[in-house]
Structures are given as C-alpha cells and as structure tokens.
Amino acid sequence: MFAAIAAIAIVVGIVNALSGAQDAAWRGDTADLGQRLFWEMTSIIVILALVPILMLSVRYVRGTTGLARRIGIGAAALLAFSALHIAGMVSLRKLLLWLAGNRYDFHFSLTSVLYEFRKDAVTALLIGATLWLLESRRELRKAAQESLSIPAIPQEQPSSPDLIWLRDGTSRIRVRPREILWVASAGNYIEYCLADGTQHLIRGTLAATEGELARFAIVRVHRTRLANLDRVSGIEFKPSGDFELTFDDGRTLGGSRRYRSAVASLGGRTAPA
C-alpha cells in the first residue's frame, strides 16, 4: 500500500515539475527542471513520512461515532498534516541546500502558508480517501475470513428466548435483551449500549438488528437508534413532536417524531423492576 502511494506521489511530482518547466519556457522564464524536481521531491519525501499519521487518523475516524466528532478529528488531522509538512519540507530544503553550500528562504507569510495549505488539503484528502477504501477492503476481507474460520454455534446447544448472541470480532458475547438500553447505528457497525455501562460494537445494519430485537420490545425510535421500551421509566414529548426517553438507570435518549407511534403505548406501561 505504501509503495503504491509512494509511486503515485513520485509520478505526480515529476509531472508537476515537467509541467512547471514547460510553462516557464512558454513564458520566456528560466525552466530549470532540476530545481523544480528538487522542490517537488523534497515535498513528497515529507508527505510520505506523514502517511502513517493519515493512516492512524483514518482508522480513528472509522472507529468514532457521530458526524461532529468525525469532522473534528479530520480537521485536526488536516491541520497537523499541513503544519508538519510545511515545517518538514522547509527544514529538509534548508539542510540539503546548506550541505550543498547554498541557502533556502521560504519567504514565510500568511499568503505562502495558505498557498501550501490549499495543496496540503487536496493531498491529504486524496490520500485519506485512498486509505479509507483500502481499510474498508481490509475489514471486509477480515470479516470474510473470520466467518469461515469461526465455527458455528452447535445446533444441539440449548437456546434460550431470554438470551441473544453478539459477535464481537473473533468472539461471541451472550447478552440478555433485558440488559440492552439502546442500539445505535455507527457507520458500518451497530453499537449496543448496556445497562451496566458497557458497549459492544458489532458489524451489521440497524434494519437487520431491528427485526431480530423487535420481539424483546426493542423498537426504532429514531432513524439511527432503537430503544428498549421495557427499560423506559419516563418520556417527555417536545413541542416539535420529538421526544426524550428516560431509562430506569437515569440515562436519556432522544427520539424522532417520525417514530412517535412506537412509544405511544408507554403511557400505560410500567418499567419492570
């Protein structure tokens, strides 16, 4: 993966240097292809050194729920990437030219920083998108391998209507539906929030989970959430039509007016002890 990114980056750098030299020749300026290649390659070397940071950022974003948190992490990673790229590129050029008996002046200013940041933003987004696709492929391959290597639960094992099995990576977790407070969609995963405060991130879709848990009074209350009505101790309806559920442990969960009918019967329900 790294070799592929490096090869593409080097080819792009060479093309940029050739295009810049050709443009300069057409304008009647000095082409100086060697200097342009030096600028491009020193920039690319630093970018390649920062690829691991982008990889970690992509993996962290993929494992994080909530759009706002994902945007925040992405923005922080982009700013860090650009700052490190500019600092590393300038330092590398100064060092190499100093060793060659010359000097390099970055002409630091807000304009030059913004100019570099624009290029860094495009570079980081392109590399990040590539890493995201590669991570998705890796996870799909891993899931396929796990499905083939993990033996199925023996059919003769007695099943209980009061227990369900959650597959968490290479292990299976047995959970009582009574212990589930809510289930939320988290990208390609489903997050189970239990009464004891633990959370389990399971690969799957909310639609499929909804069908499996409906018999336990765990119903959809929002486009991205299911709630266990048997654990609800209170409900507050908002003027907008949305509502807020309060569970018997004090935690709350918002619901959408689109699914208000799902909780319409709560007025006559009492949460079991």
Side-chain angles (χ1 to χ4, degrees):
M1 177 187 65
F2 183 83
I5 293 176
I8 294 173
I10 292 173
V11 169
V12 171
I14 293 174
V15 171
N16 287 342
L18 291 173
S19 299
Q22 183 65 62
D23 291 340
W26 284 341
R27 294 193 305 268
D29 298 334
T30 303
D32 201 346
L33 179 59
Q35 184 185 66
R36 295 179 186 275
L37 284 172
F38 175 75
W39 301 146
E40 293 290 339
M41 291 303 110
T42 49
S43 174
I44 288 172
I45 289 172
V46 178
I47 289 174
L48 294 179
L50 296 175
V51 167
I53 294 179
L54 293 178
M55 170 63 79
L56 292 176
S57 300
V58 167
R59 290 182 175 177
Y60 194 72
V61 169
R62 290 177 64 86
T64 301
T65 59
L67 179 61
R69 291 183 63 186
R70 286 186 167 187
I71 293 176
I73 295 170
L78 175 58
L79 291 174
F81 173 83
S82 182
L84 292 173
H85 173 244
I86 294 174
M89 175 185 67
V90 171
S91 299
L92 181 60
R93 290 174 179 177
K94 283 181 175 291
L95 174 62
L96 294 178
L97 289 177
W98 176 77
L99 292 175
N102 294 316
R103 61 188 302 274
Y104 172 73
D105 187 2
F106 178 63
H107 302 294
F108 182 84
S109 67
L110 179 61
T111 301
S112 60
V113 170
L114 290 177
Y115 171 78
E116 293 294 337
F117 178 77
R118 288 197 302 269
K119 296 193 298 180
D120 288 343
V122 174
T123 301
L125 289 174
L126 289 176
I127 296 177
T130 302
L131 295 174
W132 186 286
L133 293 174
L134 292 173
E135 279 293 291
S136 298
R137 182 180 178 184
R138 184 183 65 84
E139 290 182 0
L140 288 174
R141 189 188 309 119
K142 181 180 178 181
Q145 291 174 347
E146 289 174 355
S147 65
L148 293 175
S149 61
I150 297 177
I153 298 175
Q155 295 299 318
E156 63 274 15
Q157 179 177 344
S159 60
S160 169
D162 298 327
L163 297 173
I164 60 174
W165 287 89
L166 304 180
R167 178 175 170 181
D168 188 5
T170 58
S171 63
R172 293 181 183 271
I173 303 168
R174 191 168 63 174
V175 174
R176 295 184 182 276
R178 162 74 181 152
E179 297 304 312
I180 300 174
L181 292 185
W182 68 79
V183 184
S185 174
N188 295 326
Y189 294 84
I190 302 299
E191 186 177 49
Y192 286 77
C193 180
L194 305 186
D196 62 1
T198 60
Q199 296 177 327
H200 297 291
L201 203 60
I202 310 299
R203 192 171 187 88
T205 64
L206 196 64
T209 305
E210 180 182 14
E212 296 172 0
L213 300 181
R215 60 194 175 101
F216 301 112
I218 300 177
V219 301
R220 190 183 292 261
V221 296
H222 188 273
R223 182 177 60 84
T224 62
R225 294 187 285 272
L226 310 176
N228 189 346
L229 299 187
D230 283 339
R231 299 300 299 256
V232 174
S233 61
I235 182 170
E236 178 184 355
F237 291 101
K238 308 292 185 179
S240 63
D242 295 340
F243 53 90
E244 184 176 79
L245 301 175
T246 301
F247 295 95
D248 50 17
D249 68 344
R251 280 183 279 181
T252 60
L253 182 72
S256 171
R257 60 183 177 181
R258 178 180 175 185
Y259 301 97
R260 187 166 177 165
S261 59
V263 298
S265 61
L266 284 179
R269 298 173 64 99
T270 302

